[in-house]
Amino acid sequence: MLKILFVCHGNICRSPMAEFVMKDLVQKAGLSHQIQVDSAATSSEEIGNPIHYGTRRKLQEKGIPFDDHRARRMTKRDYETYDLLIGMETMNIRNMMRITQGDPLHKISRILDHTPHPRDIDDPWYTGNFDITYEQIREGCEALLQKLSASE
């Protein structure tokens, strides 16, 4: 079972959006028995809070199922538990490296590093634009799933 952890600053906007977009893609590809997906935060600011209403609204609009996700903080132990730890932006990667105290197994990357156009995911907490964030996350998740399927 391949285990993927998506990570952003607060685990209420981008990383849960990536978690549920990826779960939907994995389920539709018939790979739910092979790929497990979760999400976490690098900060403790939003611990226990639900998914941001903008993320919920975008997932509903796109027909992507989600559950009663509550924000949690990434731990050093997550590095041992997950095969891939995928941040949304460069600052997330720095904070993830601080939490894990390094990446000797090269498990950490940005989601859009798996696309032909590596870049950071825009943070809708600041931009207010969940449409762009969704499109970027979908692009990253589709590219990652394609890469994973090709390596089987």
Side-chain angles (χ1 to χ4, degrees), residues 2-144:
L2 179 74
K3 296 180 181 179
I4 303 169
L5 183 67
F6 290 107
V7 182
C8 70
H9 182 75
N11 192 217
I12 62 169
C13 295
R14 294 173 293 175
S15 60
M17 185 183 286
E19 173 186 347
F20 293 111
V21 166
M22 189 65 159
K23 281 180 176 178
D24 188 57
L25 292 171
V26 164
Q27 189 272 326
K28 287 176 178 169
L31 298 172
S32 297
H33 62 288
Q34 295 176 14
I35 301 173
Q36 179 182 325
V37 184
D38 200 356
S39 64
T42 59
S43 76
S44 57
E45 296 167 24
E46 300 288 348
I47 302 304
N49 287 336
I51 299 171
H52 188 280
Y53 65 88
T55 293
R56 280 196 318 267
R57 185 172 38 232
K58 182 48 72 176
L59 292 172
Q60 288 169 335
E61 176 187 308
K62 295 296 183 179
I64 297 172
F66 58 93
D67 59 28
D68 185 33
H69 169 88
R70 297 292 168 163
R72 76 168 185 91
R73 187 162 191 261
M74 180 184 159
T75 66
K76 186 174 181 179
R77 188 159 189 62
D78 286 328
Y79 191 80
E80 299 165 21
T81 304
Y82 291 90
D83 302 296
L84 298 172
L85 294 92
I86 302 177
M88 301 294 121
E89 64 179 49
T90 305
M91 184 63 76
N92 300 149
I93 300 300
R94 272 189 288 234
N95 291 333
M96 292 163 70
M97 292 289 204
R98 191 185 75 250
I99 291 167
T100 62
Q101 297 176 340
D103 183 20
L105 301 176
H106 308 288
K107 295 180 174 189
I108 296 176
S109 63
R110 290 180 306 174
I111 188 170
L112 291 175
D113 288 345
H114 300 277
T115 72
H117 308 287
R119 63 200 186 279
D120 287 347
I121 295 276
D122 294 336
D123 190 344
W125 178 262
Y126 299 105
T127 67
N129 193 330
F130 286 83
D131 296 329
I132 289 174
T133 300
Y134 171 80
E135 293 304 325
Q136 293 171 334
I137 285 174
R138 182 149 188 108
E139 176 188 356
C141 286
E142 287 174 347
L144 177 60

